[in-house]
């Protein structure tokens, strides 16, 4: 776990602080921890070793800066190197001048090719294209049927017939031309790289359809074998890129780095869930953070921007800062948060969130959110504006109205008042770094030097790749998880008023 | 308790959102990053050459690795020097044995030395970590229907494994009923039905999105009424880090274990190419469904399945079956000795 990595490096740092630069032996000691972290993330050993020597080059000779401890500096180098390797030579999806653009998917069994095919079709559709799916997996029982069902919910047509995979691919392509579709996605059977017959068949399909893009679908939970798989498929099919699946698992996904490392082809798409929409372009910074076990502020921001209604948020934001936040505002915020998706997913993106907190968030389901909402909705407008008037009999009424218990109402009210207290403190903090600092405190990072919003935004537009380190390298004193002792969590006193920068 | 969590989470997210909106206001006029959904161009088109470390070095190393096992075998007997240790470490790590288990094995190796040769010494050390009992139970209490429940994450080969198990149970003369409890994945029941036809088993299925518990319940009722010898129950693949999905699984298991059913085996199917995430899969599934054994699939590829060593050592859960290919006969009993020999290239 990254927490361990950062902790160990921090401890190491103490003894190094006085020096101007890292000696080779200091660096060796630091890199041992990094190696462990990478191996725990399932990065293939060969790639780990090669990667570490590159990091060594990067760090060596670099003068130590005052703002970062030596340990932090090492992590920064590792992080930057990861981004560089993961993000080098990005692939731009272009469309063939002579449609259709042909996309071929290959991979081991169970990597998620069929689901990915449907997700990819939906993605192209959202880009304004007219995709067409070709089901050439005649191997696995019911694979064609699976693709049909998925394609139906994506609103995309599927071609298949019971001939041979090569024939299906060829005829599917013709059919797409006839129908005037401009993107054809071919799903092939899962195969082992050492199965010569099947690999030859994959080559034959590629030869018959001359794909514009050939993607290897690779599973994020894959172990050391990722290098073999990627290499063999690349040798056979000349991949244009990789698609990584099952990123919603709690695996760290080192396989991505392994595969990337041996074929030198970029990761283009990432699949993050079971629904068809859980699919997006791949962002190296996020993967780098993930391999090291760090949160992903950027995704969070982006998700918020995409789904939140800024007018609603802005309105209650003012009140939030001035400490006059009401339960009505809370209700509005709750609605916004629900739009963003599962809390568990969101928590995964927050930096410095403890495992317990994450587990707790994972366990919060619609029902819990509904209950909280029901409690607030069972209050009168007057009560929502001023919860202090809620006495015992009102509590009983609210509990009955929301089909919950008095103690649930009590908990909510208590939590709400603590949260309000905390917000008031944040509101009085100086702007704008102050707010960011308060966020930092919230997010569990030590306040001084935490990245302000502006920095985050720069990051997002890809300016400062090194930025997230600010957030990352600080020892996580996270959101003291409210799993059991939730009450302690939001104590106003916990939020140290952020220091000025 | 969860209300506390909800409130806390909502606040955290709301605060983040607030900051974002604030930030947007204060940067008005400044160029805003282009909307993401619009174009794949966001993957910057300027290309930096890939650092050759990963390409050149790795290729070289891969080329050399072929001789690695030979090297291991020829290492001199007696005490362990650093080169030996490194070679051992490399073999274990690259087989997905995992860092921790590898470190433990190395430590033991160093302590005891290897007078009989490194491979034999290592073989002994690794074998000591395996559990001894890996028998499969097919008998339930009197009047009850034995149920084997198959669980695991997505894409590990649960349905295929059931097909193969049905095949060998049929060959053993048992009357087998399949329960299509994967009501989530599109066409999973179709896939299982084809296996039922192929193996001459019966199947109970329901529509997509049906309650998996009810499917299993129906299957047990039918098996009881028509004197089937064994029910093999499929479940939907699920990630191991979602408590809700695991709760659902726990419920399926409870249903299956209710009279006249009796769960005699809960087999966790794990993909042989899986890395360290397998540990968390076992941990979570065991908690939810009391796993009685592990099925390691897809060991016919280049993956070495070393994760089995770590799993048995850490959880004392036996690997009961291994999948060695796509053929219907390619599911066999796990033999630790053969496995370790293959692992060490002996």
């Amino acid at each position: 776990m990254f927490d361990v990595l950062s902790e160990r490096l921090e401890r190491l740092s103490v003894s190094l602080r006085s020096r101007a630069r890292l000696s080779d032996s200091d660096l060796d000691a630091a890199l041992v921890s990094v190696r462990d972290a990478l191996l725990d993330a399932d990065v293939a050993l060969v790639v780990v070793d090669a990667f570490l020597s590159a990091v060594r080059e990067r760090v060596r000779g670099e003068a130590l800066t005052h703002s970062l401890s030596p340990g932090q500096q090492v992590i920064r180098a590792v992080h930057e190197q990861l981004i560089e390797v993961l993000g080098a030579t990005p692939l731009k999806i272009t469309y063939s001048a002579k449609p259709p653009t042909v996309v071929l998917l290959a991979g081991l069994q169970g990597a998620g090719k069929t689901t990915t095919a449907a997700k990819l079709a939906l993605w192209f559709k959202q880009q304004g294209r007219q995709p067409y799916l070709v089901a050439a997996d005649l191997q696995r029982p019911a694979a064609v049927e699976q693709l049909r069902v998925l394609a139906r919910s994506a609103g995309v047509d599927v071609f298949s017939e019971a001939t041979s995979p090569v024939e299906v691919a060829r005829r599917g392509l013709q059919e797409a031309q006839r129908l005037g579709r401009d993107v054809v996605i071919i799903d092939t059977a899962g195969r082992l790289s050492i199965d010569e017959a099947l690999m030859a068949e994959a080559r034959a399909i590629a030869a018959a359809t001359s794909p514009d893009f050939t993607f290897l679908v690779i599973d994020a939970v894959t172990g050391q074998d990722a290098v073999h798989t990627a290499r063999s498929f690349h040798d056979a099919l000349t991949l244009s890129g990789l698609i990584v699946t099952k990123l919603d698992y709690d695996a760290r996904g080192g396989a991505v780095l392994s595969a990337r490392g041996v074929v030198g082809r970029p990761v283009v798409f990432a699949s993050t869930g079971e629904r068809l929409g859980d699919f997006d372009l791949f962002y190296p910074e996020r993967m780098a953070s993930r391999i090291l076990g760090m949160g992903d502020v950027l995704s969070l921001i982006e998700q918020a921007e995409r789904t939140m209604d800024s007018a609603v948020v802005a309105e209650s934001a003012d009140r939030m800062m001035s400490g006059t936040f009401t339960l009505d505002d809370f209700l509005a915020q709750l609605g916004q948060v629900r739009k963003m998706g599962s809390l568990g997913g969101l928590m995964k993106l927050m930096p410095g969130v403890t495992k317990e907190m994450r587990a707790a968030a994972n366990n919060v389901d619609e029902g819990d959110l509904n209950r909280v909402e029901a409690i607030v909705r069972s209050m009168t407008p007057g009560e929502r504006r001023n919860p202090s008037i809620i006495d015992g009999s009102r509590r009983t009424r609210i509990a009955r109205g929301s089909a919950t218990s008095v103690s649930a109402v009590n908990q909510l009210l208590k939590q709400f008042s603590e949260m309000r207290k905390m917000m008031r403190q944040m509101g009085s903090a100086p702007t704008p770094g102050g707010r960011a600092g308060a966020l930092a405190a919230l997010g569990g990072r030590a306040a001084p030097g935490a990245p302000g919003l502006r920095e985050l935004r720069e990051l997002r537009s890809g300016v400062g790749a090194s930025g997230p380190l600010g957030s990352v390298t600080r020892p996580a004193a996270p959101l003291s998880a409210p799993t059991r002792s939730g009450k302690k969590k939001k104590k106003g006193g916990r939020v140290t008023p952020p220091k000025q920068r | 308790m969860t209300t506390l969590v909800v409130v806390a989470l909502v606040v955290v997210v709301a605060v983040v959102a607030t900051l974002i909106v604030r930030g947007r206001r204060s940067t008005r006029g400044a160029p805003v990053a282009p909307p993401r959904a619009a174009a794949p161009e966001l993957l910057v088109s300027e290309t930096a050459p890939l650092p050759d470390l990963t390409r050149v070095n790795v290729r070289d190393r891969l080329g050399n690795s072929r001789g690695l096992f030979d090297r291991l075998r020829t290492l001199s007997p007696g005490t362990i020097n650093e080169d030996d240790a490194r070679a051992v470490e490399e073999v274990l790590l690259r087989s997905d044995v995992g860092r921790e288990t590898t470190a433990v094995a190395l430590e033991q190796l160093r302590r005891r030395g290897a007078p009989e040769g490194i491979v034999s010494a290592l073989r002994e050390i690794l074998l000591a970590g395996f559990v001894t009992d890996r028998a499969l139970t097919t008998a339930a209490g009197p009047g009850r229907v034995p149920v084997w429940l198959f669980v695991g994450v997505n894409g590990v080969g649960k349905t295929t494994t059931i097909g193969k198990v049905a095949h060998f149970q049929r060959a053993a003369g048992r009357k087998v009923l399949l329960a299509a409890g994967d009501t989530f994945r599109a066409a999973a029941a179709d896939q299982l039905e084809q296996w039922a036809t192929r193996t001459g088993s019966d199947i109970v299925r329901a529509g997509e999105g049906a309650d998996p518990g009810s499917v299993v319940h129906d299957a047990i009722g039918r098996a009881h009424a028509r004197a089937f010898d064994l029910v093999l129950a499929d479940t939907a693949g699920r990630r191991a880090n979602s408590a809700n999905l695991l709760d659902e699984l726990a419920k399926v298991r409870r249903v299956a274990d209710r009279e006249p059913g009796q769960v005699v085996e809960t087999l966790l199917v794990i993909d042989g190419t899986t890395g360290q995430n397998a540990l968390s899969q076992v941990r979570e599934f065991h908690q939810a469904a009391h796993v009685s054994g592990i099925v390691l699939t897809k060991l016919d590829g280049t993956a070495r399945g070393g994760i089995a060593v770590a799993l048995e050592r850490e959880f004392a859960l036996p690997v009961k079956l291994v999948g060695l290919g796509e053929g219907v006969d390619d599911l066999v009993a796990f033999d630790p000795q053969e496995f370790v020999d293959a692992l060490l290239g002996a």
Side-chain angles (χ1 to χ4, degrees), chain A residues 457, chain B residues 21-32:
Chain A
R457 297 185 64 84
Chain B
V21 171
R22 289 273 163 145
R24 187 186 285 155
R25 275 195 207 154
S26 64
T27 55
R28 204 183 332 208
V32 178

Side-chain angles (χ1 to χ4, degrees), chain A residues 208-221:
Chain A
T209 55
S210 44
D212 300 273
F213 297 101
T214 304
F215 292 129
L216 174 67
V217 179
I218 191 160
D219 188 328
V221 303

Side-chain angles (χ1 to χ4, degrees), chain B residues 54-73:
Chain B
T54 38
R55 234 178 344 206
V56 174
N57 298 2
V58 169
R59 284 221 170 122
D60 292 346
R61 295 290 307 271
L62 278 183
N64 292 338
S65 70
R66 221 155 275 150
L68 183 73
F69 301 109
D70 300 325
R71 208 167 86 221
L72 190 59
R73 220 171 310 143

Side-chain angles (χ1 to χ4, degrees), chain A residues 247-266:
Chain A
L247 275 180
D248 52 331
Y249 285 44
D250 53 354
R252 306 262 289 277
V256 178
L257 183 63
S258 307
R260 176 75 173 92
V262 289
V263 299
R265 305 303 305 160

